[in-house]
Amino acid sequence: MKAASQDDDKAQYKTPRWVQDWFLRRSRDNWKKKYAELKADGKRLQNRVNDVSKSREKWRGDSKELEERIRELESQNAALQEKLEALKKDGHRTGAGSVQR
């Protein structure tokens, strides 16, 4: 009786074993292929993020340097403008009494 109950507990498949093997192998292969593609995409995207981050940091550094250079040039320009205004004032005073024809 025990032997008969053990046989009843096992599932009885109608599909031949070779078809089950083929289906499961195909399913496993598709899963592995999908995983490999996702892994490659993940690596590609991570490399892209790294490249963009490096580029952004470079541009940010360049921008800060240029902003500093602009501030320096603006202060030099302001100083030169002040000198020009001072020369114009002094030039008018000395220029009025200078050579006349």
Side-chain angles (χ1 to χ4, degrees):
M1 280 200 130
K2 287 186 178 181
S5 66
Q6 287 177 352
D7 288 338
D8 291 340
D9 291 342
K10 286 187 176 179
Q12 296 295 320
Y13 297 108
K14 294 180 182 177
T15 308
R17 184 146 180 97
W18 68 270
V19 173
Q20 294 174 12
D21 288 345
W22 171 82
F23 179 80
L24 293 173
R25 186 171 292 114
R26 184 186 68 168
S27 176
R28 183 199 63 193
D29 291 345
N30 286 342
W31 178 82
K32 284 185 174 185
K33 181 180 174 185
K34 180 180 176 181
Y35 173 77
E37 289 172 357
L38 288 173
K39 187 175 179 181
D41 276 349
K43 180 136 178 93
R44 180 184 54 80
L45 291 172
Q46 186 61 47
N47 287 340
R48 179 76 172 138
V49 166
N50 292 339
D51 290 344
V52 168
S53 296
K54 286 179 188 176
S55 175
R56 186 170 291 154
E57 285 300 317
K58 180 189 175 297
W59 282 106
R60 187 173 288 135
D62 290 349
S63 175
K64 286 183 180 181
E65 288 176 11
L66 290 173
E67 286 173 358
E68 186 177 319
R69 180 72 176 140
I70 287 171
R71 276 187 243 114
E72 289 173 6
L73 291 174
E74 284 176 344
S75 65
Q76 287 177 3
N77 189 21
L80 290 173
Q81 288 293 335
E82 288 175 10
K83 283 185 182 179
L84 179 62
E85 291 299 321
L87 287 175
K88 282 183 181 180
K89 282 185 180 181
D90 292 341
H92 276 303
R93 290 183 193 157
T94 57
S98 63
V99 180
Q100 291 183 357
R101 294 187 185 179

Short mmCIF file of all heavy atoms in Angstrom, two decimals, residues 9-37:
data_model
loop_
_atom_site.label_atom_id
_atom_site.label_comp_id
_atom_site.label_asym_id
_atom_site.label_seq_id
_atom_site.Cartn_x
_atom_site.Cartn_y
_atom_site.Cartn_z
N ASP A 9 1.50 10.33 -5.19
CA ASP A 9 2.01 11.64 -4.80
C ASP A 9 2.82 12.30 -5.92
O ASP A 9 2.89 13.51 -6.00
CB ASP A 9 2.88 11.53 -3.54
CG ASP A 9 2.06 11.17 -2.31
OD1 ASP A 9 0.83 11.34 -2.36
OD2 ASP A 9 2.66 10.73 -1.31
N LYS A 10 3.45 11.51 -6.74
CA LYS A 10 4.24 12.06 -7.84
C LYS A 10 3.30 12.63 -8.90
O LYS A 10 2.26 12.06 -9.21
CB LYS A 10 5.13 11.00 -8.48
CG LYS A 10 6.32 10.62 -7.65
CD LYS A 10 7.22 9.70 -8.44
CE LYS A 10 8.47 9.40 -7.66
NZ LYS A 10 9.34 8.49 -8.42
N ALA A 11 3.71 13.78 -9.47
CA ALA A 11 2.90 14.38 -10.51
C ALA A 11 3.09 13.59 -11.80
O ALA A 11 4.22 13.22 -12.15
CB ALA A 11 3.29 15.82 -10.72
N GLN A 12 2.04 13.36 -12.48
CA GLN A 12 2.10 12.65 -13.75
C GLN A 12 1.97 13.68 -14.87
O GLN A 12 0.94 14.33 -15.01
CB GLN A 12 0.97 11.62 -13.84
CG GLN A 12 1.06 10.52 -12.80
CD GLN A 12 2.29 9.66 -12.99
OE1 GLN A 12 2.67 9.33 -14.12
NE2 GLN A 12 2.93 9.30 -11.90
N TYR A 13 3.06 13.85 -15.64
CA TYR A 13 3.06 14.80 -16.74
C TYR A 13 2.70 14.10 -18.02
O TYR A 13 3.14 12.97 -18.28
CB TYR A 13 4.43 15.47 -16.87
CG TYR A 13 4.84 16.29 -15.67
CD1 TYR A 13 5.84 15.85 -14.81
CD2 TYR A 13 4.20 17.48 -15.39
CE1 TYR A 13 6.20 16.60 -13.70
CE2 TYR A 13 4.55 18.24 -14.29
CZ TYR A 13 5.56 17.79 -13.45
OH TYR A 13 5.91 18.52 -12.35
N LYS A 14 1.94 14.77 -18.85
CA LYS A 14 1.57 14.20 -20.14
C LYS A 14 2.63 14.53 -21.19
O LYS A 14 2.77 13.83 -22.18
CB LYS A 14 0.21 14.74 -20.58
CG LYS A 14 -0.92 14.28 -19.69
CD LYS A 14 -2.23 14.85 -20.16
CE LYS A 14 -3.35 14.42 -19.21
NZ LYS A 14 -4.64 14.99 -19.60
N THR A 15 3.35 15.64 -20.96
CA THR A 15 4.37 16.09 -21.91
C THR A 15 5.60 15.19 -21.79
O THR A 15 6.04 14.87 -20.69
CB THR A 15 4.79 17.53 -21.61
OG1 THR A 15 3.62 18.34 -21.53
CG2 THR A 15 5.70 18.08 -22.67
N PRO A 16 6.17 14.81 -22.92
CA PRO A 16 7.37 13.95 -22.86
C PRO A 16 8.53 14.69 -22.17
O PRO A 16 8.62 15.91 -22.18
CB PRO A 16 7.71 13.69 -24.33
CG PRO A 16 6.50 14.07 -25.11
CD PRO A 16 5.72 15.03 -24.29
N ARG A 17 9.41 13.93 -21.61
CA ARG A 17 10.54 14.48 -20.85
C ARG A 17 11.43 15.35 -21.74
O ARG A 17 11.92 16.39 -21.31
CB ARG A 17 11.34 13.36 -20.23
CG ARG A 17 12.44 13.85 -19.36
CD ARG A 17 12.63 12.91 -18.21
NE ARG A 17 13.70 13.35 -17.36
CZ ARG A 17 13.50 14.05 -16.26
NH1 ARG A 17 12.30 14.36 -15.87
NH2 ARG A 17 14.52 14.43 -15.51
N TRP A 18 11.66 14.95 -22.98
CA TRP A 18 12.53 15.73 -23.86
C TRP A 18 11.94 17.11 -24.16
O TRP A 18 12.67 18.09 -24.32
CB TRP A 18 12.86 14.97 -25.16
CG TRP A 18 11.68 14.77 -26.08
CD1 TRP A 18 10.81 13.73 -26.08
CD2 TRP A 18 11.26 15.66 -27.10
NE1 TRP A 18 9.85 13.89 -27.04
CE2 TRP A 18 10.11 15.09 -27.69
CE3 TRP A 18 11.71 16.88 -27.58
CZ2 TRP A 18 9.42 15.70 -28.74
CZ3 TRP A 18 11.03 17.47 -28.62
CH2 TRP A 18 9.89 16.89 -29.19
N VAL A 19 10.61 17.23 -24.19
CA VAL A 19 9.96 18.52 -24.43
C VAL A 19 10.12 19.39 -23.19
O VAL A 19 10.39 20.59 -23.29
CB VAL A 19 8.47 18.33 -24.80
CG1 VAL A 19 7.75 19.67 -24.86
CG2 VAL A 19 8.33 17.59 -26.11
N GLN A 20 9.96 18.79 -22.03
CA GLN A 20 10.16 19.54 -20.79
C GLN A 20 11.60 20.04 -20.69
O GLN A 20 11.84 21.21 -20.34
CB GLN A 20 9.84 18.67 -19.57
CG GLN A 20 8.39 18.29 -19.47
CD GLN A 20 8.14 17.31 -18.33
OE1 GLN A 20 9.01 17.09 -17.50
NE2 GLN A 20 6.94 16.73 -18.32
N ASP A 21 12.56 19.17 -21.03
CA ASP A 21 13.97 19.58 -21.01
C ASP A 21 14.22 20.74 -21.97
O ASP A 21 14.88 21.72 -21.64
CB ASP A 21 14.88 18.41 -21.39
CG ASP A 21 14.95 17.35 -20.31
OD1 ASP A 21 14.56 17.64 -19.16
OD2 ASP A 21 15.42 16.24 -20.62
N TRP A 22 13.68 20.60 -23.19
CA TRP A 22 13.86 21.65 -24.19
C TRP A 22 13.27 22.97 -23.70
O TRP A 22 13.91 24.02 -23.80
CB TRP A 22 13.19 21.23 -25.50
CG TRP A 22 13.14 22.34 -26.51
CD1 TRP A 22 14.13 22.73 -27.36
CD2 TRP A 22 12.04 23.23 -26.75
NE1 TRP A 22 13.73 23.80 -28.12
CE2 TRP A 22 12.44 24.12 -27.77
CE3 TRP A 22 10.77 23.34 -26.22
CZ2 TRP A 22 11.61 25.11 -28.26
CZ3 TRP A 22 9.94 24.33 -26.71
CH2 TRP A 22 10.36 25.20 -27.71
N PHE A 23 12.06 22.93 -23.16
CA PHE A 23 11.39 24.15 -22.69
C PHE A 23 12.17 24.80 -21.55
O PHE A 23 12.40 26.01 -21.55
CB PHE A 23 9.97 23.83 -22.24
CG PHE A 23 9.23 25.03 -21.72
CD1 PHE A 23 8.65 25.93 -22.59
CD2 PHE A 23 9.15 25.27 -20.36
CE1 PHE A 23 7.98 27.05 -22.12
CE2 PHE A 23 8.49 26.39 -19.88
CZ PHE A 23 7.90 27.29 -20.75
N LEU A 24 12.58 24.00 -20.57
CA LEU A 24 13.32 24.55 -19.43
C LEU A 24 14.68 25.09 -19.85
O LEU A 24 15.13 26.13 -19.37
CB LEU A 24 13.45 23.50 -18.33
CG LEU A 24 12.14 23.11 -17.65
CD1 LEU A 24 12.35 21.95 -16.69
CD2 LEU A 24 11.53 24.30 -16.92
N ARG A 25 15.35 24.40 -20.77
CA ARG A 25 16.66 24.88 -21.25
C ARG A 25 16.48 26.20 -22.00
O ARG A 25 17.25 27.14 -21.82
CB ARG A 25 17.29 23.83 -22.16
CG ARG A 25 18.70 24.21 -22.59
CD ARG A 25 19.41 23.08 -23.31
NE ARG A 25 19.69 21.98 -22.39
CZ ARG A 25 19.11 20.75 -22.47
NH1 ARG A 25 18.26 20.47 -23.43
NH2 ARG A 25 19.40 19.82 -21.60
N ARG A 26 15.44 26.27 -22.84
CA ARG A 26 15.17 27.51 -23.57
C ARG A 26 14.85 28.66 -22.61
O ARG A 26 15.36 29.77 -22.76
CB ARG A 26 14.00 27.32 -24.54
CG ARG A 26 13.74 28.56 -25.40
CD ARG A 26 12.51 28.40 -26.22
NE ARG A 26 11.36 28.39 -25.30
CZ ARG A 26 10.09 28.50 -25.68
NH1 ARG A 26 9.80 28.58 -26.95
NH2 ARG A 26 9.13 28.49 -24.80
N SER A 27 14.06 28.38 -21.59
CA SER A 27 13.72 29.39 -20.60
C SER A 27 14.98 29.87 -19.87
O SER A 27 15.19 31.06 -19.68
CB SER A 27 12.72 28.80 -19.60
OG SER A 27 12.43 29.72 -18.58
N ARG A 28 15.84 28.93 -19.46
CA ARG A 28 17.09 29.28 -18.78
C ARG A 28 18.00 30.10 -19.68
O ARG A 28 18.57 31.11 -19.28
CB ARG A 28 17.82 28.01 -18.31
CG ARG A 28 19.09 28.31 -17.52
CD ARG A 28 20.01 27.13 -17.48
NE ARG A 28 20.44 26.82 -18.84
CZ ARG A 28 21.04 25.70 -19.18
NH1 ARG A 28 21.25 24.76 -18.29
NH2 ARG A 28 21.41 25.49 -20.42
N ASP A 29 18.13 29.70 -20.92
CA ASP A 29 19.00 30.41 -21.86
C ASP A 29 18.48 31.83 -22.12
O ASP A 29 19.27 32.78 -22.19
CB ASP A 29 19.12 29.66 -23.19
CG ASP A 29 19.90 28.36 -23.05
OD1 ASP A 29 20.58 28.18 -22.01
OD2 ASP A 29 19.80 27.51 -23.96
N ASN A 30 17.17 31.97 -22.24
CA ASN A 30 16.60 33.32 -22.43
C ASN A 30 16.85 34.19 -21.21
O ASN A 30 17.15 35.38 -21.34
CB ASN A 30 15.10 33.23 -22.71
CG ASN A 30 14.80 32.72 -24.10
OD1 ASN A 30 15.65 32.74 -24.98
ND2 ASN A 30 13.59 32.24 -24.31
N TRP A 31 16.72 33.61 -20.03
CA TRP A 31 16.97 34.36 -18.80
C TRP A 31 18.43 34.79 -18.73
O TRP A 31 18.72 35.94 -18.39
CB TRP A 31 16.61 33.50 -17.59
CG TRP A 31 16.87 34.17 -16.30
CD1 TRP A 31 16.07 35.07 -15.66
CD2 TRP A 31 18.05 34.06 -15.49
NE1 TRP A 31 16.66 35.49 -14.50
CE2 TRP A 31 17.88 34.88 -14.37
CE3 TRP A 31 19.22 33.31 -15.60
CZ2 TRP A 31 18.84 35.01 -13.39
CZ3 TRP A 31 20.17 33.43 -14.61
CH2 TRP A 31 19.97 34.27 -13.52
N LYS A 32 19.35 33.89 -19.04
CA LYS A 32 20.78 34.23 -19.01
C LYS A 32 21.09 35.31 -20.04
O LYS A 32 21.88 36.23 -19.77
CB LYS A 32 21.63 32.99 -19.28
CG LYS A 32 21.73 32.06 -18.11
CD LYS A 32 22.67 30.92 -18.42
CE LYS A 32 22.91 30.05 -17.22
NZ LYS A 32 23.91 29.00 -17.49
N LYS A 33 20.50 35.20 -21.23
CA LYS A 33 20.73 36.20 -22.27
C LYS A 33 20.21 37.57 -21.82
O LYS A 33 20.90 38.58 -21.98
CB LYS A 33 20.04 35.77 -23.56
CG LYS A 33 20.23 36.70 -24.72
CD LYS A 33 19.50 36.18 -25.94
CE LYS A 33 19.57 37.17 -27.08
NZ LYS A 33 18.77 36.73 -28.23
N LYS A 34 19.02 37.59 -21.25
CA LYS A 34 18.44 38.84 -20.77
C LYS A 34 19.31 39.44 -19.68
O LYS A 34 19.57 40.66 -19.67
CB LYS A 34 17.03 38.58 -20.24
CG LYS A 34 16.33 39.80 -19.72
CD LYS A 34 14.94 39.44 -19.20
CE LYS A 34 14.25 40.64 -18.60
NZ LYS A 34 12.92 40.30 -18.07
N TYR A 35 19.78 38.63 -18.75
CA TYR A 35 20.64 39.11 -17.66
C TYR A 35 21.94 39.68 -18.21
O TYR A 35 22.39 40.74 -17.77
CB TYR A 35 20.93 37.98 -16.67
CG TYR A 35 21.93 38.35 -15.63
CD1 TYR A 35 21.57 39.16 -14.55
CD2 TYR A 35 23.26 37.94 -15.71
CE1 TYR A 35 22.49 39.54 -13.59
CE2 TYR A 35 24.18 38.31 -14.76
CZ TYR A 35 23.80 39.10 -13.70
OH TYR A 35 24.71 39.47 -12.76
N ALA A 36 22.55 38.99 -19.18
CA ALA A 36 23.80 39.46 -19.76
C ALA A 36 23.61 40.81 -20.45
O ALA A 36 24.46 41.71 -20.34
CB ALA A 36 24.35 38.44 -20.75
N GLU A 37 22.48 40.97 -21.16
CA GLU A 37 22.20 42.25 -21.83
C GLU A 37 21.99 43.36 -20.81
O GLU A 37 22.48 44.48 -20.98
CB GLU A 37 20.97 42.11 -22.73
CG GLU A 37 21.21 41.27 -23.96
CD GLU A 37 19.95 40.98 -24.76
OE1 GLU A 37 18.85 41.39 -24.31
OE2 GLU A 37 20.05 40.32 -25.80
#
